[in-house]
mmCIF file of all heavy atoms in Angstrom:
data_model
loop_
_atom_site.group_PDB
_atom_site.id
_atom_site.type_symbol
_atom_site.label_atom_id
_atom_site.label_comp_id
_atom_site.label_asym_id
_atom_site.label_seq_id
_atom_site.Cartn_x
_atom_site.Cartn_y
_atom_site.Cartn_z
ATOM 1 N N MET O 19 69.879 33.124 345.698
ATOM 2 C CA MET O 19 70.488 34.138 346.550
ATOM 3 C C MET O 19 69.754 34.198 347.885
ATOM 4 O O MET O 19 68.528 34.162 347.920
ATOM 5 C CB MET O 19 70.423 35.514 345.885
ATOM 6 C CG MET O 19 71.310 35.663 344.692
ATOM 7 S SD MET O 19 71.446 37.364 344.121
ATOM 8 C CE MET O 19 70.007 37.488 343.092
ATOM 9 N N PHE O 23 71.693 38.591 351.349
ATOM 10 C CA PHE O 23 72.527 38.989 350.214
ATOM 11 C C PHE O 23 71.742 39.881 349.260
ATOM 12 O O PHE O 23 72.246 40.905 348.786
ATOM 13 C CB PHE O 23 73.054 37.747 349.490
ATOM 14 C CG PHE O 23 73.978 38.054 348.341
ATOM 15 C CD1 PHE O 23 75.147 38.768 348.535
ATOM 16 C CD2 PHE O 23 73.683 37.616 347.066
ATOM 17 C CE1 PHE O 23 76.002 39.050 347.476
ATOM 18 C CE2 PHE O 23 74.531 37.886 346.001
ATOM 19 C CZ PHE O 23 75.690 38.599 346.207
ATOM 20 N N GLU O 26 71.454 43.291 350.770
ATOM 21 C CA GLU O 26 72.729 44.015 350.660
ATOM 22 C C GLU O 26 72.907 44.589 349.257
ATOM 23 O O GLU O 26 73.313 45.741 349.088
ATOM 24 C CB GLU O 26 73.887 43.074 351.009
ATOM 25 C CG GLU O 26 75.232 43.740 351.040
ATOM 26 C CD GLU O 26 75.384 44.726 352.181
ATOM 27 O OE1 GLU O 26 74.758 44.535 353.232
ATOM 28 O OE2 GLU O 26 76.131 45.713 351.996
ATOM 29 N N LEU O 27 72.573 43.795 348.242
ATOM 30 C CA LEU O 27 72.666 44.282 346.862
ATOM 31 C C LEU O 27 71.699 45.438 346.626
ATOM 32 O O LEU O 27 72.045 46.425 345.976
ATOM 33 C CB LEU O 27 72.379 43.156 345.875
ATOM 34 C CG LEU O 27 73.426 42.049 345.774
ATOM 35 C CD1 LEU O 27 72.940 40.930 344.879
ATOM 36 C CD2 LEU O 27 74.747 42.598 345.280
ATOM 37 N N ALA O 28 70.487 45.318 347.145
ATOM 38 C CA ALA O 28 69.494 46.381 346.976
ATOM 39 C C ALA O 28 69.971 47.675 347.632
ATOM 40 O O ALA O 28 69.787 48.762 347.078
ATOM 41 C CB ALA O 28 68.152 45.951 347.555
ATOM 42 N N GLU O 30 73.160 48.508 348.112
ATOM 43 C CA GLU O 30 74.278 48.979 347.300
ATOM 44 C C GLU O 30 73.795 49.669 346.025
ATOM 45 O O GLU O 30 74.357 50.671 345.593
ATOM 46 C CB GLU O 30 75.172 47.790 346.935
ATOM 47 C CG GLU O 30 76.369 48.147 346.097
ATOM 48 C CD GLU O 30 77.220 46.931 345.749
ATOM 49 O OE1 GLU O 30 77.333 46.003 346.575
ATOM 50 O OE2 GLU O 30 77.785 46.924 344.631
ATOM 51 N N LEU O 31 72.729 49.139 345.433
ATOM 52 C CA LEU O 31 72.236 49.662 344.159
ATOM 53 C C LEU O 31 71.193 50.771 344.323
ATOM 54 O O LEU O 31 70.740 51.345 343.336
ATOM 55 C CB LEU O 31 71.676 48.516 343.316
ATOM 56 C CG LEU O 31 72.719 47.456 342.918
ATOM 57 C CD1 LEU O 31 72.048 46.247 342.286
ATOM 58 C CD2 LEU O 31 73.756 48.049 341.984
ATOM 59 N N ASP O 49 66.070 47.144 337.738
ATOM 60 C CA ASP O 49 66.725 46.970 339.033
ATOM 61 C C ASP O 49 67.027 45.497 339.294
ATOM 62 O O ASP O 49 68.105 45.156 339.792
ATOM 63 C CB ASP O 49 65.861 47.524 340.166
ATOM 64 C CG ASP O 49 65.850 49.048 340.209
ATOM 65 O OD1 ASP O 49 66.783 49.681 339.661
ATOM 66 O OD2 ASP O 49 64.906 49.613 340.789
ATOM 67 N N ALA O 50 66.088 44.622 338.973
ATOM 68 C CA ALA O 50 66.301 43.181 339.162
ATOM 69 C C ALA O 50 67.479 42.709 338.306
ATOM 70 O O ALA O 50 68.327 41.939 338.771
ATOM 71 C CB ALA O 50 65.037 42.410 338.816
ATOM 72 N N GLY O 51 67.533 43.173 337.075
ATOM 73 C CA GLY O 51 68.642 42.813 336.189
ATOM 74 C C GLY O 51 69.971 43.318 336.705
ATOM 75 O O GLY O 51 70.977 42.603 336.663
ATOM 76 N N ASN O 52 69.969 44.553 337.217
ATOM 77 C CA ASN O 52 71.204 45.111 337.780
ATOM 78 C C ASN O 52 71.647 44.329 339.012
ATOM 79 O O ASN O 52 72.849 44.151 339.240
ATOM 80 C CB ASN O 52 71.015 46.585 338.127
ATOM 81 C CG ASN O 52 70.982 47.467 336.895
ATOM 82 O OD1 ASN O 52 71.489 47.099 335.841
ATOM 83 N ND2 ASN O 52 70.365 48.633 337.022
ATOM 84 N N MET O 53 70.682 43.849 339.787
ATOM 85 C CA MET O 53 71.000 43.062 340.976
ATOM 86 C C MET O 53 71.650 41.734 340.574
ATOM 87 O O MET O 53 72.661 41.331 341.144
ATOM 88 C CB MET O 53 69.723 42.823 341.797
ATOM 89 C CG MET O 53 69.994 42.201 343.132
ATOM 90 S SD MET O 53 68.567 42.192 344.221
ATOM 91 C CE MET O 53 67.522 41.026 343.403
ATOM 92 N N VAL O 54 71.107 41.085 339.567
ATOM 93 C CA VAL O 54 71.678 39.824 339.090
ATOM 94 C C VAL O 54 73.074 40.072 338.502
ATOM 95 O O VAL O 54 74.018 39.316 338.773
ATOM 96 C CB VAL O 54 70.754 39.160 338.052
ATOM 97 C CG1 VAL O 54 71.430 37.976 337.389
ATOM 98 C CG2 VAL O 54 69.442 38.738 338.699
ATOM 99 N N LYS O 55 73.205 41.132 337.729
ATOM 100 C CA LYS O 55 74.500 41.470 337.128
ATOM 101 C C LYS O 55 75.560 41.677 338.208
ATOM 102 O O LYS O 55 76.673 41.167 338.111
ATOM 103 C CB LYS O 55 74.363 42.731 336.275
ATOM 104 C CG LYS O 55 75.636 43.169 335.600
ATOM 105 C CD LYS O 55 75.405 44.416 334.780
ATOM 106 C CE LYS O 55 76.706 44.925 334.193
ATOM 107 N NZ LYS O 55 76.523 46.168 333.448
ATOM 108 N N ARG O 56 75.198 42.393 339.270
ATOM 109 C CA ARG O 56 76.142 42.656 340.364
ATOM 110 C C ARG O 56 76.491 41.364 341.103
ATOM 111 O O ARG O 56 77.651 41.145 341.468
ATOM 112 C CB ARG O 56 75.553 43.695 341.319
ATOM 113 C CG ARG O 56 76.467 44.065 342.449
ATOM 114 C CD ARG O 56 77.716 44.802 341.945
ATOM 115 N NE ARG O 56 78.564 45.102 343.070
ATOM 116 C CZ ARG O 56 79.846 44.709 343.162
ATOM 117 N NH1 ARG O 56 80.415 44.096 342.154
ATOM 118 N NH2 ARG O 56 80.542 44.979 344.224
ATOM 119 N N ALA O 57 75.505 40.502 341.302
ATOM 120 C CA ALA O 57 75.758 39.222 341.964
ATOM 121 C C ALA O 57 76.732 38.375 341.155
ATOM 122 O O ALA O 57 77.629 37.736 341.712
ATOM 123 C CB ALA O 57 74.440 38.476 342.189
ATOM 124 N N VAL O 58 76.582 38.385 339.833
ATOM 125 C CA VAL O 58 77.493 37.644 338.961
ATOM 126 C C VAL O 58 78.893 38.233 339.048
ATOM 127 O O VAL O 58 79.889 37.498 339.117
ATOM 128 C CB VAL O 58 76.978 37.628 337.504
ATOM 129 C CG1 VAL O 58 78.032 37.104 336.544
ATOM 130 C CG2 VAL O 58 75.704 36.817 337.406
ATOM 131 N N GLU O 59 78.995 39.562 339.062
ATOM 132 C CA GLU O 59 80.305 40.211 339.183
ATOM 133 C C GLU O 59 80.994 39.802 340.483
ATOM 134 O O GLU O 59 82.199 39.524 340.487
ATOM 135 C CB GLU O 59 80.157 41.727 339.132
ATOM 136 C CG GLU O 59 79.774 42.274 337.786
ATOM 137 C CD GLU O 59 79.403 43.756 337.817
ATOM 138 O OE1 GLU O 59 79.304 44.357 338.908
ATOM 139 O OE2 GLU O 59 79.207 44.300 336.725
ATOM 140 N N ILE O 60 80.241 39.773 341.569
ATOM 141 C CA ILE O 60 80.807 39.383 342.869
ATOM 142 C C ILE O 60 81.271 37.933 342.823
ATOM 143 O O ILE O 60 82.366 37.606 343.293
ATOM 144 C CB ILE O 60 79.768 39.619 343.998
ATOM 145 C CG1 ILE O 60 79.558 41.115 344.208
ATOM 146 C CG2 ILE O 60 80.215 38.940 345.286
ATOM 147 C CD1 ILE O 60 78.377 41.456 345.099
ATOM 148 N N ALA O 61 80.459 37.051 342.252
ATOM 149 C CA ALA O 61 80.821 35.632 342.158
ATOM 150 C C ALA O 61 82.069 35.448 341.316
ATOM 151 O O ALA O 61 82.975 34.671 341.685
ATOM 152 C CB ALA O 61 79.659 34.838 341.585
ATOM 153 N N GLN O 62 82.164 36.147 340.195
ATOM 154 C CA GLN O 62 83.339 36.034 339.342
ATOM 155 C C GLN O 62 84.594 36.526 340.058
ATOM 156 O O GLN O 62 85.651 35.922 339.951
ATOM 157 C CB GLN O 62 83.142 36.816 338.049
ATOM 158 C CG GLN O 62 82.169 36.160 337.106
ATOM 159 C CD GLN O 62 81.895 37.003 335.869
ATOM 160 O OE1 GLN O 62 81.996 38.222 335.882
ATOM 161 N NE2 GLN O 62 81.515 36.332 334.783
ATOM 162 N N SER O 63 84.455 37.605 340.808
ATOM 163 C CA SER O 63 85.568 38.144 341.561
ATOM 164 C C SER O 63 86.057 37.145 342.607
ATOM 165 O O SER O 63 87.264 36.953 342.786
ATOM 166 C CB SER O 63 85.156 39.455 342.236
ATOM 167 O OG SER O 63 86.150 39.930 343.082
#
Side-chain angles (χ1 to χ4, degrees):
M19 290 191 275
F23 183 59
E26 185 68 30
L27 291 174
E30 180 181 325
L31 297 171
D49 286 339
N52 286 337
M53 189 169 69
V54 171
K55 180 180 175 183
R56 182 66 181 123
V58 169
E59 290 170 353
I60 290 169
Q62 288 175 333
S63 174

